[in-house]
Amino acid sequence: MPKVLISDSLSAAAVDIFKLNGIETDVITGMKPEELIACIGEYDGLAVRSATKVTADVLDAATNLKVIGRAGIGVDNIDVDGASARGVVVMNAPFGNSITTAEHAIAMMFALARQIPLANQSTQAGKWEKSKFMGVELSGKTLGIIGCGNIGSIVAERARGLKMRVIASDPYLTPEHAGTLGIEKVELDELFGRADVITLHTPLTEQTAGILNAEAFARMRDGVLIVNCARGELVVESDIKAALESGKVGGFAVDVFPQEPPPADYSLFGMEQVVATPHLGAATTEAQEKVALQIAEQMSDYLNSGAVVNALNMPSVSAEDAPRLKPYMTLAGQIGSLAGQVTESGLKSVTIEYEGQVAELNTRPITACLLEGLLSPLMSGVNMINAPILARDRQIDVSEVRHERDGEYQTLVKLTVQTENRTRTVAGTVFGGDKPRIVEVNGIALEAELGENMLYIVNKDRPGFIGRLGTTLGDAGVNIATFQLGRTAQGSDALALIEVDGELSDDVIANLRNLPDVVQAKAMRF
């Protein structure tokens, strides 16, 4: 039975979801880092919000961990690269709190525009200062949205309902989606120059860190209102303080901070133009219920069936697709491993062709399994999660090709590997719905089921070779389980894939390589 640890406060409904899916669940919140490290090794899954820090030290101790689920969007508290390197899937729940966060951004806009916090404080102090709190209407103003993903799109829809003109800067916003939202896509500089109100909804990256700085403020309209419900590091604290003091920025509403909770001497505290809330963007009963249920369902599906949804470091695989993909993922791993184990020089490019029934499936996880098999014999620490990243980092060109044509097989996966010295191909199919078979190696047709221990032999097709091969194995006490043989033409290159009962020693392989007509001999494990 899989076992999950919930280390932050989640809705009790999440525990019910895990239990209904046959998953043992412990809820232990408020642990110190050393306490988490001491216990994490016994769990298959870890469900967190933002309090638990999943560091490299935690991951090192998490020897059985398969999945981390973040009940929310941001994963700043999780070492995603470290998890990928260890083959741990990192999931989030990106949709459960989108509406809540968008509504909070709208509320913060109103708070700035109508000075609601100051007016409330004054009125409750027994004052009646109507003339002091002269606000501005949002209707007719231009709202600039930086980052128009899930949350930004909802803000745009709500803002248009308020009769605001909406412009957005987002490199991933397509003209079609902008048209659907009824907004205008613009470059960032143009947004700075036109917006009366700017709201941030972009993730924190190297490119977006400090995106609102002194230079950006200088290009904005005087008195612009700014809302940040995304990430504290998007705004340079000292620069916005100076802009508020000069009047360049008319007000700043902030829900997120570089350090949470912020220090008591945070430089923006006490400024009348600042509205601050303690990271309340997702803090509604409805949102917390949604993200808890969503992450529990996703983690349960992964642990029970291999389904992957909303993963940050792995292609998605639906619960419906997982059983159909499994035999192809197994086949792809074998194809890649065979090619990787006989590769003796640097990889330059990889082409994966999908033909027939497999071409109609979600091939991204199949490709990931193939790359894992291909790279594992060549480097350590490879898994299907980090294999595509490792290939990219090593400038190995990876391409996929889908063929709609009918071929010799109902379904076919073919790998072509270009190394520094040669081109190699391996192809395979699935028989009977779940039986992987290798059907071609380097243009040589054969039909082989791969076992745990295999012998790969390339030789010149000469009479007597198979007898000498069998004698050499027999003299070494090696028993042959299966023997599959193919050749390009009579007297040309031949290839054998031989399953043997037990590992082949270096001495046996050396003796095989010394046989007449042997071109290549390799011991393989699958």
Side-chain angles (χ1 to χ4, degrees):
M1 178 184 293
K3 192 173 181 181
V4 166
L5 171 65
I6 299 176
S7 61
D8 290 334
S9 296
L10 263 64
S11 166
V15 178
D16 296 335
I17 292 292
F18 282 126
K19 290 182 177 178
L20 284 171
N21 282 280
I23 295 173
E24 184 180 349
T25 308
D26 291 336
V27 181
I28 310 174
T29 61
M31 283 188 287
K32 296 178 180 178
E34 58 271 20
E35 294 173 327
L36 178 60
I37 290 170
C39 72
I40 192 62
E42 61 184 280
Y43 294 98
D44 302 281
L46 173 64
V48 304
R49 287 184 63 194
S50 57
T52 297
K53 309 302 180 188
V54 187
T55 62
D57 289 339
V58 172
L59 291 166
D60 285 341
T63 51
N64 291 312
L65 197 63
K66 300 173 180 65
V67 58
I68 301 168
R70 164 68 163 96
I73 298 177
V75 290
D76 298 348
N77 56 316
I78 300 171
D79 182 356
V80 178
D81 290 340
S84 299
R86 294 163 178 81
V88 178
V89 176
V90 179
M91 299 175 171
N92 67 353
F95 306 113
N97 57 18
S98 296
I99 291 175
T100 291
T101 304
E103 287 183 351
H104 193 69
I106 296 290
M108 296 287 258
M109 274 192 267
F110 274 113
L112 285 179
R114 302 306 297 271
Q115 303 180 67
I116 291 173
L118 284 176
N120 169 69
Q121 184 180 12
S122 170
T123 304
Q124 292 209 40
K127 301 176 183 179
W128 195 253
E129 300 178 298
K130 288 183 64 175
S131 60
K132 179 178 179 180
F133 302 112
M134 186 65 64
V136 297
E137 290 184 357
L138 292 178
S139 177
K141 299 297 190 295
T142 298
L143 173 65
I145 300 176
I146 300 176
C148 201
N150 296 324
I151 297 171
S153 295
I154 297 170
V155 170
E157 292 174 340
R158 301 298 192 268
R160 289 191 67 242
L162 297 172
K163 306 302 181 185
M164 298 184 78
R165 293 185 293 271
V166 182
I167 59 178
S169 176
D170 187 326
Y172 303 105
L173 176 64
T174 64
E176 293 78 15
H177 187 47
T180 300
L181 294 172
I183 67 177
E184 181 184 356
K185 179 179 178 178
V186 299
E187 295 299 322
L188 191 60
D189 278 351
E190 184 176 349
L191 183 146
F192 288 154
R194 289 175 55 187
D196 301 297
V197 183
I198 294 175
T199 181
L200 292 161
H201 300 288
T202 185
L204 178 64
T205 66
E206 290 183 6
Q207 291 72 36
T208 62
I211 195 169
L212 295 193
N213 52 30
E215 183 181 349
F217 297 134
R219 298 201 296 271
M220 295 179 190
R221 289 187 170 188
D222 292 343
V224 64
L225 304 180
I226 295 175
V227 176
N228 185 13
C229 293
R231 287 291 178 268
E233 294 87 345
L234 299 176
V235 181
V236 178
E237 180 184 331
S238 59
D239 291 351
I240 195 166
K241 186 177 190 299
L244 287 164
E245 290 172 338
S246 70
K248 183 67 178 183
V249 173
F252 181 44
V254 56
D255 185 51
V256 288
F257 303 84
Q259 177 186 335
E260 294 187 353
D265 60 352
Y266 183 65
S267 66
L268 301 183
F269 286 166
M271 300 186 74
E272 289 191 349
Q273 310 98 308
V274 175
V275 176
T277 53
H279 206 150
L280 299 180
T284 63
T285 302
E286 294 87 350
Q288 293 310 307
E289 187 82 3
K290 287 177 187 175
V291 295
L293 294 177
Q294 184 179 350
I295 206 64
E297 290 281 9
Q298 291 175 191
M299 293 176 67
S300 297
D301 285 344
Y302 179 71
L303 291 171
N304 286 332
S305 69
V308 180
V309 179
N310 294 324
L312 284 81
N313 58 350
M314 181 179 175
S316 292
V317 180
S318 70
E320 293 76 18
D321 282 346
R324 298 175 62 200
L325 289 174
K326 188 173 182 179
Y328 291 103
M329 293 167 72
T330 301
L331 171 66
Q334 291 181 349
I335 290 172
S337 182
L338 195 158
Q341 290 184 68
V342 297
T343 295
E344 297 174 337
S345 56
L347 293 172
K348 295 178 65 177
S349 68
V350 173
T351 302
I352 306 149
E353 298 177 74
Y354 295 105
E355 182 177 305
Q357 295 175 352
V358 67
E360 301 173 2
L361 301 177
N362 172 14
T363 58
R364 288 188 65 202
I366 303 175
T367 294
C369 284
L370 192 149
L371 292 174
E372 176 191 5
L374 177 65
L375 297 179
S376 290
L378 308 174
M379 60 187 73
S380 61
V382 183
N383 54 66
M384 69 174 294
I385 297 170
N386 66 15
I389 301 170
L390 292 171
R392 182 193 64 208
D393 291 347
R394 283 157 180 76
Q395 297 183 330
I396 301 170
D397 182 44
V398 178
S399 59
E400 292 185 18
V401 181
R402 296 172 185 255
H403 298 293
E404 296 181 359
R405 67 193 180 207
D406 293 329
E408 184 178 352
Y409 298 94
Q410 286 188 331
T411 188
L412 187 76
V413 179
K414 183 175 182 179
L415 167 66
T416 302
V417 176
Q418 179 67 51
T419 71
E420 295 171 350
N421 299 326
R422 59 169 298 171
T423 299
R424 178 175 283 107
T425 62
V426 183
T429 188
V430 173
F431 288 153
D434 62 354
K435 299 176 181 63
R437 296 288 189 275
I438 301 299
V439 296
E440 184 250 296
V441 178
N442 295 334
I444 299 174
L446 73 170
E447 184 183 310
E449 179 180 4
L450 299 183
E452 181 178 355
N453 294 287
M454 300 292 296
L455 171 62
Y456 175 91
I457 291 280
V458 180
N459 62 281
K460 295 300 180 182
D461 182 34
R462 303 280 191 272
F465 176 77
I466 293 177
R468 291 191 293 272
L469 173 62
T471 298
T472 302
L473 292 176
D475 289 345
V478 177
N479 190 51
I480 295 175
T482 64
F483 192 117
Q484 301 298 328
L485 183 67
R487 65 182 184 181
T488 54
Q490 183 177 350
S492 187
D493 285 342
L495 183 144
L497 281 173
I498 306 165
E499 182 181 359
V500 295
D501 295 337
E503 293 187 43
L504 293 163
S505 68
D506 292 341
D507 288 341
V508 171
I509 296 298
N511 289 335
L512 291 171
R513 288 171 178 165
N514 288 328
L515 290 176
D517 300 319
V518 168
V519 176
Q520 189 177 19
K522 282 266 188 176
M524 295 185 173
R525 288 183 61 83
F526 294 92

Coordinates of all heavy atoms in Angstrom, one line a residue, residues 154-216:
I154 N -8.4 35.6 -15.8 CA -9.6 35.8 -15.0 C -9.7 37.3 -14.6 O -10.8 37.9 -14.6 CB -9.6 34.9 -13.8 CG1 -9.7 33.4 -14.3 CG2 -10.8 35.2 -12.9 CD1 -9.5 32.4 -13.1
V155 N -8.5 37.9 -14.2 CA -8.5 39.3 -13.9 C -9.0 40.1 -15.1 O -9.8 41.1 -14.9 CB -7.1 39.7 -13.5 CG1 -7.0 41.2 -13.3 CG2 -6.7 39.1 -12.1
A156 N -8.5 39.8 -16.3 CA -8.9 40.5 -17.5 C -10.4 40.5 -17.7 O -11.1 41.5 -18.0 CB -8.2 39.9 -18.7
E157 N -11.0 39.3 -17.5 CA -12.5 39.1 -17.7 C -13.2 40.0 -16.6 O -14.2 40.7 -17.0 CB -12.9 37.7 -17.5 CG -12.4 36.8 -18.7 CD -12.7 35.3 -18.5 OE1 -12.9 34.9 -17.3 OE2 -12.7 34.6 -19.4
R158 N -12.8 40.0 -15.4 CA -13.4 40.7 -14.3 C -13.3 42.2 -14.6 O -14.2 43.0 -14.4 CB -12.8 40.4 -13.0 CG -12.9 38.9 -12.5 CD -14.4 38.5 -12.4 NE -14.4 37.2 -11.7 CZ -14.4 36.0 -12.4 NH1 -14.3 35.9 -13.7 NH2 -14.5 34.9 -11.7
A159 N -12.1 42.6 -15.1 CA -11.8 44.1 -15.3 C -12.7 44.6 -16.5 O -13.2 45.7 -16.4 CB -10.3 44.3 -15.6
R160 N -12.9 43.8 -17.5 CA -13.7 44.2 -18.6 C -15.2 44.4 -18.1 O -15.9 45.2 -18.6 CB -13.7 43.2 -19.7 CG -12.3 43.2 -20.5 CD -12.4 42.4 -21.8 NE -13.3 43.1 -22.7 CZ -14.4 42.5 -23.2 NH1 -14.8 41.3 -22.8 NH2 -15.1 43.2 -24.1
G161 N -15.6 43.5 -17.1 CA -16.9 43.7 -16.5 C -17.0 45.0 -15.8 O -18.1 45.5 -15.6
L162 N -15.9 45.6 -15.3 CA -15.9 46.9 -14.7 C -15.7 48.0 -15.7 O -15.5 49.2 -15.3 CB -14.7 46.9 -13.7 CG -14.8 45.9 -12.5 CD1 -13.5 46.0 -11.7 CD2 -15.9 46.2 -11.6
K163 N -15.8 47.7 -17.0 CA -15.7 48.7 -18.1 C -14.3 49.3 -18.1 O -14.1 50.4 -18.5 CB -16.7 49.8 -17.9 CG -18.1 49.3 -17.8 CD -18.5 48.4 -19.0 CE -20.0 47.9 -18.9 NZ -20.4 47.0 -20.0
M164 N -13.3 48.5 -17.7 CA -11.9 49.0 -17.9 C -11.4 48.5 -19.3 O -11.8 47.5 -19.8 CB -11.0 48.4 -16.8 CG -11.4 48.8 -15.4 SD -10.2 48.1 -14.2 CE -8.8 49.3 -14.3
R165 N -10.4 49.3 -19.8 CA -9.7 48.9 -21.0 C -8.6 48.0 -20.5 O -7.8 48.4 -19.6 CB -9.2 50.1 -21.8 CG -10.3 51.0 -22.4 CD -9.7 52.1 -23.3 NE -9.0 53.0 -22.5 CZ -9.5 54.1 -21.9 NH1 -10.8 54.4 -22.1 NH2 -8.8 54.9 -21.2
V166 N -8.4 46.9 -21.2 CA -7.4 45.9 -20.7 C -6.3 45.7 -21.7 O -6.6 45.3 -22.9 CB -8.0 44.6 -20.3 CG1 -6.9 43.6 -19.7 CG2 -9.1 44.8 -19.2
I167 N -5.1 45.9 -21.4 CA -3.9 45.5 -22.2 C -3.1 44.5 -21.4 O -3.1 44.5 -20.2 CB -3.1 46.7 -22.6 CG1 -2.6 47.5 -21.4 CG2 -3.9 47.7 -23.5 CD1 -1.7 48.7 -21.7
A168 N -2.4 43.7 -22.1 CA -1.6 42.6 -21.4 C -0.3 42.4 -22.2 O -0.2 42.5 -23.4 CB -2.4 41.3 -21.4
S169 N 0.8 42.1 -21.4 CA 2.1 41.7 -21.9 C 2.4 40.3 -21.4 O 2.5 40.1 -20.2 CB 3.2 42.7 -21.4 OG 4.4 42.3 -21.8
D170 N 2.5 39.4 -22.3 CA 2.8 38.0 -22.0 C 3.3 37.4 -23.3 O 2.6 37.3 -24.3 CB 1.6 37.3 -21.5 CG 1.9 35.9 -21.0 OD1 2.7 35.2 -21.6 OD2 1.2 35.5 -20.0
P171 N 4.6 36.8 -23.3 CA 5.1 36.2 -24.5 C 4.3 35.0 -25.0 O 4.4 34.6 -26.1 CB 6.5 35.9 -24.1 CG 6.6 35.8 -22.6 CD 5.5 36.8 -22.2
Y172 N 3.6 34.4 -24.1 CA 2.8 33.2 -24.4 C 1.4 33.4 -24.7 O 0.6 32.5 -25.0 CB 2.9 32.2 -23.2 CG 4.4 31.8 -22.9 CD1 5.0 32.3 -21.7 CD2 5.1 31.0 -23.7 CE1 6.3 32.0 -21.4 CE2 6.4 30.7 -23.4 CZ 7.0 31.2 -22.3 OH 8.3 30.9 -22.0
L173 N 1.0 34.7 -24.6 CA -0.4 35.0 -25.0 C -0.6 35.1 -26.5 O 0.1 35.9 -27.2 CB -0.8 36.4 -24.4 CG -2.2 37.0 -24.7 CD1 -3.3 36.1 -24.1 CD2 -2.3 38.4 -24.1
T174 N -1.4 34.3 -27.1 CA -1.6 34.2 -28.5 C -2.6 35.3 -28.9 O -3.5 35.7 -28.1 CB -2.1 32.9 -29.0 OG1 -3.5 32.7 -28.4 CG2 -1.2 31.8 -28.5
P175 N -2.5 35.8 -30.1 CA -3.5 36.8 -30.6 C -4.9 36.3 -30.5 O -5.9 37.0 -30.2 CB -3.1 37.1 -32.0 CG -1.6 36.7 -32.1 CD -1.4 35.6 -31.1
E176 N -5.1 34.9 -30.7 CA -6.4 34.3 -30.7 C -7.0 34.4 -29.3 O -8.2 34.7 -29.1 CB -6.4 32.9 -31.2 CG -6.0 32.7 -32.7 CD -4.5 32.9 -33.0 OE1 -3.7 32.9 -32.0 OE2 -4.2 33.0 -34.1
H177 N -6.2 34.1 -28.3 CA -6.7 34.1 -26.9 C -6.9 35.5 -26.5 O -7.9 35.8 -25.8 CB -5.7 33.4 -26.0 CG -6.2 33.2 -24.6 ND1 -7.4 32.7 -24.3 CD2 -5.6 33.5 -23.4 CE1 -7.6 32.7 -23.0 NE2 -6.5 33.2 -22.4
A178 N -6.1 36.4 -26.9 CA -6.3 37.8 -26.5 C -7.6 38.3 -27.1 O -8.4 39.0 -26.4 CB -5.1 38.7 -27.0
G179 N -7.9 37.9 -28.3 CA -9.2 38.3 -29.0 C -10.4 37.7 -28.2 O -11.4 38.3 -28.0
T180 N -10.2 36.4 -27.8 CA -11.3 35.8 -27.0 C -11.6 36.5 -25.7 O -12.7 36.7 -25.3 CB -10.9 34.3 -26.7 OG1 -10.7 33.6 -27.9 CG2 -12.0 33.6 -25.9
L181 N -10.5 37.0 -25.1 CA -10.7 37.7 -23.8 C -11.1 39.2 -24.0 O -11.5 39.9 -23.1 CB -9.3 37.7 -23.0 CG -8.8 36.4 -22.5 CD1 -7.4 36.6 -22.0 CD2 -9.7 35.9 -21.4
G182 N -11.0 39.6 -25.3 CA -11.4 41.0 -25.6 C -10.4 42.0 -25.1 O -10.8 43.1 -24.7
I183 N -9.1 41.6 -25.1 CA -8.1 42.5 -24.6 C -7.0 42.7 -25.7 O -7.1 42.1 -26.8 CB -7.4 42.0 -23.4 CG1 -6.6 40.7 -23.7 CG2 -8.4 41.7 -22.3 CD1 -5.8 40.1 -22.5
E184 N -6.1 43.6 -25.5 CA -5.1 43.9 -26.5 C -3.7 43.4 -26.0 O -3.3 43.8 -24.8 CB -5.0 45.4 -26.7 CG -4.0 45.9 -27.7 CD -4.0 47.4 -27.9 OE1 -4.8 48.1 -27.2 OE2 -3.1 47.9 -28.6
K185 N -3.0 42.7 -26.8 CA -1.6 42.3 -26.4 C -0.7 43.3 -26.8 O -0.7 43.8 -28.0 CB -1.3 40.9 -27.1 CG 0.1 40.5 -26.8 CD 0.4 39.1 -27.5 CE 1.9 38.7 -27.1 NZ 2.2 37.4 -27.7
V186 N 0.2 43.7 -25.9 CA 1.2 44.8 -26.2 C 2.6 44.4 -25.6 O 2.7 43.4 -24.8 CB 0.8 46.1 -25.6 CG1 -0.5 46.6 -26.1 CG2 0.7 46.0 -24.0
E187 N 3.6 45.1 -26.1 CA 4.9 44.9 -25.5 C 5.0 45.6 -24.1 O 4.2 46.5 -23.8 CB 6.0 45.4 -26.4 CG 6.1 44.7 -27.7 CD 6.5 43.3 -27.6 OE1 7.3 42.9 -26.7 OE2 5.9 42.4 -28.4
L188 N 5.9 45.2 -23.3 CA 6.0 45.6 -21.9 C 6.2 47.1 -21.9 O 5.6 47.8 -21.0 CB 7.1 44.9 -21.2 CG 7.2 45.1 -19.7 CD1 5.9 44.6 -19.0 CD2 8.4 44.4 -19.1
D189 N 7.1 47.7 -22.7 CA 7.3 49.1 -22.7 C 6.0 49.9 -23.0 O 5.7 50.9 -22.4 CB 8.3 49.5 -23.7 CG 9.8 49.3 -23.2 OD1 9.9 49.0 -22.0 OD2 10.7 49.4 -24.0
E190 N 5.2 49.4 -23.9 CA 4.0 50.1 -24.2 C 3.0 50.0 -23.1 O 2.3 50.9 -22.8 CB 3.3 49.5 -25.5 CG 2.1 50.2 -25.9 CD 1.5 49.6 -27.2 OE1 2.2 48.8 -27.9 OE2 0.3 50.0 -27.5
L191 N 3.0 48.9 -22.4 CA 2.1 48.7 -21.2 C 2.5 49.7 -20.1 O 1.6 50.4 -19.6 CB 2.2 47.3 -20.7 CG 1.3 46.9 -19.5 CD1 0.9 45.4 -19.6 CD2 2.0 47.1 -18.2
F192 N 3.8 49.9 -19.9 CA 4.2 50.8 -18.9 C 3.7 52.2 -19.2 O 3.3 53.0 -18.3 CB 5.7 50.8 -18.8 CG 6.3 49.6 -18.1 CD1 7.6 49.2 -18.4 CD2 5.6 48.9 -17.2 CE1 8.2 48.1 -17.8 CE2 6.2 47.8 -16.6 CZ 7.4 47.4 -16.9
G193 N 3.7 52.6 -20.5 CA 3.4 54.0 -20.9 C 1.9 54.2 -20.9 O 1.5 55.4 -20.8
R194 N 1.1 53.2 -21.0 CA -0.4 53.4 -21.2 C -1.2 53.1 -20.0 O -2.3 53.6 -19.8 CB -0.9 52.5 -22.4 CG -0.4 53.0 -23.7 CD -0.8 52.0 -24.8 NE -2.3 51.8 -24.8 CZ -2.9 50.8 -25.6 NH1 -2.2 50.1 -26.4 NH2 -4.2 50.7 -25.5
A195 N -0.7 52.2 -19.1 CA -1.6 51.7 -18.0 C -1.8 52.7 -16.9 O -0.9 53.4 -16.4 CB -1.0 50.4 -17.5
D196 N -3.1 52.8 -16.4 CA -3.4 53.6 -15.2 C -3.2 52.7 -13.9 O -2.9 53.2 -12.9 CB -4.8 54.1 -15.2 CG -5.1 55.0 -16.4 OD1 -4.4 56.0 -16.5 OD2 -5.9 54.6 -17.3
V197 N -3.4 51.4 -14.1 CA -3.3 50.4 -13.1 C -2.5 49.2 -13.7 O -2.8 48.8 -14.8 CB -4.7 49.9 -12.6 CG1 -4.5 48.9 -11.4 CG2 -5.5 51.0 -12.2
I198 N -1.5 48.7 -12.9 CA -0.7 47.6 -13.4 C -0.9 46.5 -12.3 O -0.7 46.7 -11.1 CB 0.8 48.0 -13.6 CG1 0.9 48.9 -14.7 CG2 1.6 46.7 -13.8 CD1 2.3 49.5 -14.9
T199 N -1.2 45.2 -12.8 CA -1.3 44.1 -11.9 C -0.3 43.0 -12.4 O -0.3 42.7 -13.6 CB -2.7 43.6 -11.7 OG1 -2.8 42.5 -10.8 CG2 -3.3 43.2 -13.1
L200 N 0.4 42.4 -11.5 CA 1.4 41.3 -11.8 C 0.8 39.9 -11.6 O 0.3 39.6 -10.6 CB 2.6 41.5 -10.9 CG 3.4 42.8 -11.1 CD1 4.3 43.0 -9.9 CD2 4.3 42.6 -12.4
H201 N 0.9 39.1 -12.6 CA 0.5 37.7 -12.6 C 1.4 36.8 -13.3 O 1.0 35.9 -14.0 CB -0.9 37.6 -13.1 CG -1.9 38.4 -12.3 ND1 -2.3 38.1 -11.0 CD2 -2.5 39.6 -12.6 CE1 -3.1 39.0 -10.5 NE2 -3.3 39.9 -11.5
T202 N 2.7 37.1 -13.2 CA 3.7 36.3 -13.9 C 4.5 35.5 -12.9 O 4.7 35.9 -11.8 CB 4.7 37.3 -14.7 OG1 5.6 36.5 -15.5 CG2 5.5 38.2 -13.8
P203 N 5.0 34.3 -13.3 CA 5.9 33.5 -12.4 C 7.2 34.2 -12.2 O 7.6 35.1 -13.0 CB 6.0 32.2 -13.2 CG 5.8 32.5 -14.6 CD 4.8 33.6 -14.6
L204 N 7.9 33.8 -11.2 CA 9.3 34.3 -10.9 C 10.3 33.5 -11.7 O 10.4 32.3 -11.5 CB 9.5 34.3 -9.4 CG 10.9 34.8 -9.0 CD1 11.1 36.2 -9.3 CD2 11.2 34.5 -7.5
T205 N 11.0 34.2 -12.6 CA 12.1 33.6 -13.4 C 13.2 34.5 -13.4 O 13.2 35.7 -12.9 CB 11.6 33.3 -14.8 OG1 11.4 34.6 -15.5 CG2 10.3 32.5 -14.9
E206 N 14.3 34.1 -14.0 CA 15.5 35.0 -14.1 C 15.1 36.3 -14.9 O 15.6 37.4 -14.7 CB 16.6 34.3 -14.9 CG 17.3 33.2 -14.0 CD 18.5 32.6 -14.8 OE1 18.8 33.1 -15.8 OE2 19.0 31.6 -14.2
Q207 N 14.2 36.1 -15.9 CA 13.8 37.3 -16.7 C 12.8 38.2 -16.0 O 12.8 39.4 -16.3 CB 13.1 36.8 -18.0 CG 14.1 36.1 -19.0 CD 14.5 34.7 -18.5 OE1 13.7 34.0 -17.9 NE2 15.8 34.4 -18.8
T208 N 12.0 37.7 -15.1 CA 11.0 38.5 -14.5 C 11.4 39.0 -13.1 O 10.7 40.0 -12.6 CB 9.6 37.7 -14.3 OG1 9.9 36.6 -13.4 CG2 9.1 37.2 -15.6
A209 N 12.4 38.5 -12.5 CA 12.9 39.0 -11.2 C 13.2 40.5 -11.3 O 14.0 40.9 -12.2 CB 14.1 38.2 -10.7
G210 N 12.6 41.3 -10.5 CA 12.9 42.8 -10.5 C 12.3 43.4 -11.7 O 12.8 44.5 -12.2
I211 N 11.3 42.9 -12.3 CA 10.7 43.5 -13.6 C 10.2 44.9 -13.3 O 10.2 45.7 -14.3 CB 9.6 42.5 -14.1 CG1 9.3 42.9 -15.6 CG2 8.4 42.5 -13.3 CD1 8.5 41.9 -16.3
L212 N 9.7 45.2 -12.1 CA 9.3 46.5 -11.8 C 10.4 47.2 -11.0 O 10.6 46.9 -9.8 CB 8.0 46.6 -11.0 CG 6.7 46.1 -11.8 CD1 5.5 46.5 -11.0 CD2 6.7 46.6 -13.2
N213 N 11.2 48.0 -11.6 CA 12.4 48.7 -11.0 C 12.3 50.1 -11.4 O 11.4 50.6 -12.0 CB 13.7 48.0 -11.5 CG 13.7 47.9 -13.0 OD1 13.2 48.8 -13.7 ND2 14.4 46.9 -13.5
A214 N 13.4 50.9 -11.0 CA 13.4 52.3 -11.2 C 13.3 52.7 -12.7 O 12.5 53.6 -13.0 CB 14.7 52.9 -10.6
E215 N 13.9 51.9 -13.5 CA 13.8 52.2 -15.0 C 12.3 52.0 -15.4 O 11.8 52.8 -16.2 CB 14.7 51.3 -15.7 CG 14.7 51.5 -17.2 CD 15.7 50.6 -18.0 OE1 16.5 49.9 -17.3 OE2 15.6 50.6 -19.2
A216 N 11.7 50.9 -15.0 CA 10.3 50.7 -15.4 C 9.4 51.8 -14.8 O 8.5 52.3 -15.6 CB 9.8 49.3 -14.8

